[in-house]
Amino acid sequence: MINQRIVDSSSKVQLADNRVCFNTGRVENSQGEQRLEPLPLAFLDYLISRTGEVVSRQELLEHVWCNRQVTDDAIRRVVKKVRVALGDDAKEPKFIKTIPLQGYQFVGDATVLCEQPAQHARKIGAWWIIACFVLAAVMSATLFVLNSEEPEYFGAVITPLTEISGSEMGGEYNAQTDTLVFMYRGSNREPFSLYAKDLSRDLLYRLSGDDGAYHTISMSPDGSKVLYQRNKGEGYQVYIADYENGTLRRQRRLDISQKKLALQGWSADGKEILYHAYVVGETAHHKASSKAIFSYNLESNTSRQITFPLSKGRGDVLARQSADGQYLAVVRNQQLRQYRLLVFAQHDGKLLHETLLGFEASNLVWSQEQPNSLLLSSFKGQLARFDVNSGTLIVSEHITPGLNDVFGECGKDCLLMRRHGMNYRDIVSMPNPFVTLPSPPAKLKIASEEVEWSPIYSHDGSAIFYLSRDKKYSYLYRLVYEGPNAGEKTLLHRFDTLDAINGLQASSDGSYLLGRREERLFMYDILNQQFRWLTGDDEQIVYANWSADSDYIYFSRVEQHSYRLLRYSLATDLTERIQDNTLARIEDELGRVFILRDDFWLMQKQAGGTERALVQLPRLPELTVIARNNALYWADKQSLTVHLNQLDLLTMERRSFALSRNEWTFNFDLHPKLASVIYSKELLAASDLVKVAGRE
């Protein structure tokens, strides 16, 4: 036991199987390595120095927070970070015990690994005074700020705009009327309803009077009309209504011929609306793969196409016209995760700027405070401002997961944004709806305060691999749920939280995991716990699959706007080209080969080199296709419901099972014995619309 302060920053302390270095913040244990920030380190340091004693909140504020005013939640967040790093359980604590209504107590054994000279101990008072000043400065200037508002957002002051319990999204602010319009639902089982908030009078209105499924709402520049989309079972249609004192009147459907369109807002004069819809490219391979921007004239009831993308990506996904009508800003997805900002002159359609974005913009809005500038934001918390006059893109150094989708401004360095929690998915399993078993398998649920996604079964079905994410990192885990080691959880690898990790697959021999970080392919050696890149940063990789014998990996790469299927050999470490215009190759246990073409037709290879067309699959950035036991499995969305589909390869009979409603869950996995299905289930994405001061 120790009962003295760790007064030298080079000190290392052993806490059971944890080695804590107070100089670097590293915490090393059997699960790998983590880093603690200065404030959690200071908390742990002080608690160890008072081993066995109950440390009150007031003492913590004085000696750790240097007399700063912070909330109980701020203290609890720091305690949680320390517990997570040490692998401690609040219910059965090995190190930090909560004493209700009193404080915290360090109850573990601590051994100093680097003893310090005695004179250091005599200088503890001066050291800690200096440390307080340093800590206060750090807390004021960096990510580790913990103030009474929202410490995780770099000291930004967060003020809720609506204060409704549930999920708010799709916010749009009309500066002329000081009105906020948005979508809302109280639970994950409900469709979205439409709401408006008169901010000047603090009045909240529900605009949709029924339980219909609504989506996207936009107010005309003068505030007199509202556009929205509604699904009555045949897809989302566009409606327009007059807006009068929190009520929608004279609602009518617009006759727009394109299907699967998405509203983008109004023209500056309010006479036209903007939307994007799929267009046909020059070749069959471009068909329905790119979206273009259209305008719809409300007087003549006619549409015209105003952008003409030809790309292997989704095309033009966002568009906004400036308030003065001079410019049209467009975000274009050219291929995979590559996005560009384009700014056109409205009067002649001339392209003025084309700028590569380093992130996927989920929202775009013209600035009301800085003329001729744009604000762009991502779901992951990135924020950027583009100046049309200079053509300069400035990306904020602050990244705030959980604070995103800027939709307006409320003054200098004051933004209107969406704030959401990080717990919007849990992993669940269910019996396979297409098979009959004498006894159904046990249902599984993986839940925490973080988001969990992309679950897959191990090769023998005894364990599950999955991903989890908090505001700092993404984690790859292995969870055993069968056998004597059931419940054992192992951290395999850690990624930056901004990285998109997709396409996890286990080899049939149980030796390796395959996956993609953004567009880069990686392999993880499970037995030796080694991570390895298979492709470079300059390559753009999409769907990847193991061969049936796990000797090869098939993956497609983007080459000059076309997809090339390649094969990597584990034995020779060589890659060879197999087929053009192909997204994926899937093999089953019987040796059958299936090819997913880049027009999303799934083909079965026949003797003599011919192909049999089986089914055209939905165009999704992430698509799971499993071939097993004379059947094919995939997921798609039919109206508001996600269905799990099975195609019997002997009879060609197709069956569907309603997996979830009001969700976007398309990734799943089948148990090796086909007993169960595991997938990531969407929870209520608890979120609210907020005013953010000091974010930029």
Side-chain angles (χ1 to χ4, degrees):
M1 300 284 289
I2 70 168
N3 194 27
Q4 62 179 19
R5 194 59 176 271
I6 311 299
V7 296
D8 191 287
S9 62
S10 64
S11 294
K12 294 182 180 179
V13 175
Q14 191 76 35
L15 306 175
D17 66 340
N18 298 283
R19 177 173 293 191
V20 182
C21 178
F22 283 84
N23 179 33
T24 63
R26 288 196 184 101
V27 179
E28 301 173 348
N29 52 39
S30 60
Q31 305 301 315
E33 177 187 300
Q34 298 187 56
R35 286 183 183 270
L36 277 175
E37 302 160 357
L39 196 56
L41 278 174
F43 169 82
L44 177 60
D45 182 6
Y46 187 74
L47 219 59
I48 290 175
S49 74
R50 301 280 300 277
T51 295
E53 302 178 30
V54 178
V55 179
S56 69
R57 178 184 185 278
Q58 187 56 43
E59 288 177 280
L60 290 173
L61 292 178
E62 179 180 351
H63 295 286
V64 178
W65 272 266
C66 301
N67 292 312
R68 284 178 60 88
Q69 293 300 312
V70 298
T71 64
D72 290 339
D73 282 340
I75 297 176
R76 282 192 289 268
R77 278 192 286 268
V78 169
V79 176
K80 181 180 177 181
K81 287 182 179 181
V82 176
R83 281 177 171 153
V84 169
L86 299 178
D88 202 10
D89 187 348
K91 296 180 180 179
E92 298 180 6
K94 295 182 295 182
F95 303 109
I96 300 174
K97 183 177 182 180
T98 300
I99 309 300
L101 304 179
Q102 296 184 53
Y104 298 92
Q105 181 183 29
F106 189 82
V107 295
D109 291 333
T111 302
V112 177
L113 299 180
C114 285
E115 295 293 343
Q116 308 304 319
Q119 62 266 28
H120 285 169
R122 290 194 296 269
K123 297 179 181 179
I124 180 173
W127 178 90
W128 190 239
I129 292 172
I130 295 173
C132 275
F133 283 110
V134 173
L135 180 60
V138 170
M139 291 169 65
S140 300
T142 71
L143 172 63
F144 312 130
V145 172
L146 286 174
N147 58 30
S148 60
E149 292 292 336
E150 279 293 339
E152 63 268 41
Y153 298 136
F154 306 98
V157 178
I158 313 295
T159 306
L161 295 173
T162 57
E163 298 183 343
I164 312 176
S165 176
S167 180
E168 306 165 27
M169 61 182 299
E172 184 180 282
Y173 174 65
N174 185 283
Q176 183 165 329
T177 61
D178 199 21
T179 299
L180 172 68
V181 291
F182 59 98
M183 300 183 295
Y184 167 82
R185 62 179 176 180
S187 78
N188 208 45
R189 296 180 297 274
E190 300 175 14
F192 281 104
S193 300
L194 303 181
Y195 277 76
K197 175 73 178 285
D198 185 331
L199 297 178
S200 61
R201 297 188 295 169
D202 197 27
L203 296 176
L204 181 68
Y205 304 102
R206 175 168 175 166
L207 303 181
S208 53
D210 54 23
D211 294 325
Y214 292 84
H215 196 274
T216 312
I217 182 169
S218 180
M219 180 171 278
S220 62
D222 63 2
S224 65
K225 292 181 172 57
V226 164
L227 278 173
Y228 60 90
Q229 290 181 266
R230 183 182 179 188
N231 191 334
K232 295 185 177 181
E234 299 178 352
Y236 284 100
Q237 307 293 333
V238 180
Y239 291 80
I240 189 171
D242 297 334
Y243 180 80
E244 299 176 5
N245 297 319
T247 303
L248 298 184
R249 302 185 184 279
R250 295 173 286 279
Q251 303 174 43
R252 55 222 182 256
R253 176 181 161 184
L254 299 182
D255 185 19
I256 302 178
S257 59
Q258 286 91 349
K259 305 298 182 183
K260 297 183 179 179
L261 61 88
L263 288 174
Q264 296 296 302
W266 296 76
S267 63
D269 58 11
K271 296 180 179 180
E272 295 182 322
I273 63 172
L274 302 177
Y275 64 91
H276 69 54
Y278 287 114
V279 294
V280 177
E282 293 180 336
T283 70
H285 295 300
H286 284 100
K287 187 175 182 179
S289 62
S290 292
K291 298 175 181 178
I293 305 301
F294 291 79
S295 68
Y296 180 86
N297 189 291
L298 294 171
E299 296 177 352
S300 63
N301 297 321
T302 56
S303 294
R304 63 184 178 93
Q305 185 176 341
I306 57 177
T307 67
F308 299 86
L310 289 175
S311 69
K312 296 301 291 185
R314 291 185 293 152
D316 295 339
V317 294
L318 293 173
R320 298 288 187 272
Q321 193 177 121
S322 60
D324 58 9
Q326 291 190 62
Y327 306 108
L328 175 69
V330 173
V331 172
R332 177 169 294 172
N333 175 223
Q334 292 193 299
Q335 55 191 23
L336 299 180
R337 301 184 189 278
Q338 185 183 113
Y339 292 82
R340 290 182 179 272
L341 172 66
L342 292 82
V343 179
F344 299 90
Q346 190 65 36
H347 70 282
D348 60 3
K350 181 180 178 181
L351 178 62
L352 302 176
H353 298 288
E354 184 174 359
T355 304
L356 181 65
L357 298 175
F359 58 91
E360 177 183 353
S362 58
N363 230 30
L364 167 70
V365 64
W366 285 92
S367 172
Q368 296 149 2
E369 297 295 319
Q370 300 183 28
N372 298 333
S373 76
L374 288 154
L375 288 164
L376 302 102
S377 57
S378 77
F379 179 78
K380 296 178 181 179
Q382 294 137 306
L383 180 69
R385 186 182 289 272
F386 180 80
D387 183 77
V388 175
N389 296 331
S390 65
T392 303
L393 179 72
I394 300 176
V395 181
S396 172
E397 63 181 8
H398 296 326
I399 298 172
T400 52
L403 189 62
N404 50 39
D405 290 349
V406 60
F407 60 87
E409 288 182 296
C410 43
K412 182 176 175 55
D413 198 12
C414 183
L415 305 176
L416 303 178
M417 305 183 75
R418 178 187 179 219
R419 176 180 60 177
H420 69 85
M422 294 299 292
N423 183 23
Y424 49 86
R425 280 185 180 272
D426 284 345
I427 292 172
V428 297
S429 71
M430 57 174 286
N432 187 342
F434 304 118
V435 300
T436 302
L437 299 172
S439 59
K443 295 182 179 180
L444 178 73
K445 184 172 184 177
I446 302 175
S448 73
E449 294 182 0
E450 301 169 359
V451 57
E452 291 90 10
W453 83 102
S454 292
I456 61 169
Y457 289 104
S458 62
H459 71 293
D460 60 0
S462 65
I464 289 170
F465 300 97
Y466 70 96
L467 293 155
S468 180
R469 177 184 293 159
D470 57 24
K471 291 185 177 181
K472 196 169 185 180
Y473 297 109
S474 294
Y475 308 92
L476 174 60
Y477 287 111
R478 180 179 185 266
L479 176 68
V480 179
Y481 81 104
E482 290 181 358
N485 296 322
E488 180 182 285
K489 179 180 173 181
T490 305
L491 173 63
L492 302 181
H493 198 74
R494 188 180 72 186
F495 302 88
D496 189 284
T497 193
L498 293 178
D499 292 336
I501 316 299
N502 295 294
L504 286 182
Q505 289 191 37
S507 61
S508 60
D509 60 5
S511 299
Y512 302 100
L513 285 178
L514 181 66
R516 300 191 320 278
R517 191 215 70 180
E518 300 292 344
E519 290 87 41
R520 194 176 182 186
L521 196 64
F522 68 83
M523 185 171 67
Y524 184 83
D525 185 330
I526 300 171
L527 299 178
N528 298 311
Q529 296 187 337
Q530 293 180 344
F531 181 91
R532 178 185 173 193
W533 293 111
L534 297 182
T535 60
D537 278 330
D538 58 341
E539 297 178 85
Q540 294 184 312
I541 308 303
V542 285
Y543 305 100
N545 296 280
W546 290 101
S547 62
D549 56 12
S550 298
D551 290 340
Y552 298 96
I553 296 170
Y554 292 96
F555 62 93
S556 54
R557 181 171 65 198
V558 178
E559 297 181 7
Q560 296 180 345
H561 300 289
S562 295
Y563 293 112
R564 302 294 201 296
L565 182 69
L566 300 103
R567 182 174 69 183
Y568 169 79
S569 169
L570 272 69
T572 65
D573 195 27
L574 296 176
T575 300
E576 59 180 320
R577 179 174 295 181
I578 301 298
Q579 191 170 336
D580 292 344
N581 302 320
T582 303
L583 289 171
R585 175 184 170 115
I586 302 110
E587 299 180 358
D588 70 2
E589 73 280 7
L590 300 177
R592 285 178 292 203
V593 175
F594 306 89
I595 296 295
L596 180 62
R597 300 191 323 205
D598 64 354
D599 59 0
F600 284 84
W601 267 99
L602 188 63
M603 317 294 289
Q604 181 181 352
K605 280 195 171 290
Q606 307 276 51
T610 61
E611 295 181 345
R612 175 172 71 141
L614 298 176
V615 62
Q616 188 172 28
L617 300 178
R619 291 173 169 82
L620 298 170
E622 293 301 324
L623 180 64
T624 301
V625 181
I626 296 175
R628 197 175 299 164
N629 198 26
N630 290 313
L632 287 167
Y633 299 84
W634 73 95
D636 62 14
K637 191 163 188 176
Q638 303 168 23
S639 187
L640 299 175
T641 304
V642 174
H643 284 78
L644 181 65
N645 301 282
Q646 182 202 60
L647 179 66
D648 189 309
L649 293 171
L650 300 179
T651 65
M652 294 303 292
E653 177 189 2
R654 176 173 171 176
R655 295 192 290 170
S656 294
F657 177 81
L659 194 64
S660 57
R661 184 174 173 83
N662 297 318
E663 297 184 23
W664 292 92
T665 302
F666 300 108
N667 293 105
F668 66 94
D669 196 24
L670 290 176
H671 191 277
K673 298 179 181 178
L674 301 181
S676 57
V677 179
I678 191 168
Y679 63 99
S680 181
K681 181 176 179 58
E682 292 186 11
L683 307 175
L684 177 68
S687 62
D688 55 354
L689 304 179
V690 296
K691 180 170 66 174
V692 183
R695 167 62 179 80
E696 289 190 279

